[in-house]
Amino acid sequence: MIRILVADDQPLVRAGIVATVDAQADMEVVGEAADGIGAIESAGRLAPDVVLMDIRMPGIDGIEATLAVREHDPDRRVLILTTFDADQHVYAALRAGACGFLVKDAPVEELVAAVRAAARGDAVLSPAITARVVAQLLTAPDPTPPPLPSGEILTPREIELVRLVADGLSNLEIGERMHLSEPTIKTHMGHVLAKLGMRDRLQVAVWAHRSGIAR
């Protein structure tokens, strides 16, 4: 069972999400929170696998709460919920450690797929959102030295994987494209992160665009 905490300050929205999640055979809502403080406390006490975190809440917002939850347990998966898919705070939420971003009015199948992906360890970012975040990062100064040329450190298969990550595809989608299992893609992704000295897929996507590997 995937243990889930739902944090949203709107009771009706929260109730709808809880009902959707609890209806899934492989999911269980272990707690609810109406604000950031409640989310932080509940995450520490209930140890959910995934936190569905509203980005806009009174007092401590979803970004601050995500940072606090992740500082307490770096393995905790936080999926950000918002009303707008072009929310200006998306990048800040990802920097705080969120594993992905989901629009509140997304179809039920998209919500549950996102929760399962987050629980598996995947990033949950649509290609459109990935493109916007990457574009924002590309306009910022790069504080790190340029990496070695890709051909010297990545295999052809790893380069193709990086291109698909830059396209915003999930591990499952990449596996289908490359005709490899999802666990194999995760293994290759781990090798890429280690070789490039990077923390997450978003950094890899930005690097792919800066280095000219991305399509």
Side-chain angles (χ1 to χ4, degrees), residues 38-194:
I40 295 167
E41 186 276 329
S42 296
R45 177 170 51 86
L46 301 171
D49 300 310
V50 178
V51 179
L52 295 177
M53 183 85 75
D54 184 14
I55 202 169
R56 290 175 175 145
M57 292 186 288
I60 293 179
D61 64 15
I63 296 173
E64 291 182 78
T66 296
L67 186 60
V69 167
R70 293 274 298 166
E71 283 181 344
H72 181 266
D73 184 351
D75 292 329
R76 186 83 64 236
R77 308 289 289 171
V78 179
L79 189 57
I80 293 293
L81 301 172
T82 189
T83 307
F84 307 102
D85 65 353
D87 197 298
Q88 65 211 26
H89 300 300
V90 172
Y91 178 52
L94 295 173
R95 286 292 299 270
C99 69
F101 181 84
L102 190 66
V103 183
K104 287 184 182 180
D105 60 0
V108 169
E109 57 271 20
E110 187 174 328
L111 169 62
V112 297
V115 170
R116 292 185 181 116
R120 288 195 306 265
D122 276 358
V124 183
L125 286 172
S126 71
I129 292 172
T130 299
R132 280 199 296 273
V133 175
V134 167
Q136 181 177 351
L137 290 177
L138 286 173
T139 62
D142 187 359
T144 60
L148 295 172
S150 61
E152 296 182 16
I153 54 176
L154 299 181
T155 67
R157 176 168 284 182
E158 288 169 343
I159 290 174
E160 178 61 17
L161 170 60
V162 167
R163 286 177 176 146
L164 293 173
V165 168
D167 287 343
L169 274 63
S170 69
N171 283 347
L172 184 61
E173 293 167 329
I174 292 172
E176 291 171 352
R177 293 283 188 92
M178 298 182 69
H179 307 290
L180 296 171
S181 69
E182 190 175 359
T184 300
I185 294 299
K186 283 188 176 183
T187 299
H188 286 313
M189 192 70 236
H191 293 161
V192 168
L193 291 171

Side-chain angles (χ1 to χ4, degrees), residues 147-148 150 154 162 196 198 203-213:
L148 295 172
S150 61
L154 299 181
V162 167
L196 298 179
M198 294 180 182
Q203 287 185 327
V204 171
V206 173
W207 176 82
H209 284 274
R210 282 194 167 126
S211 65
I213 290 178

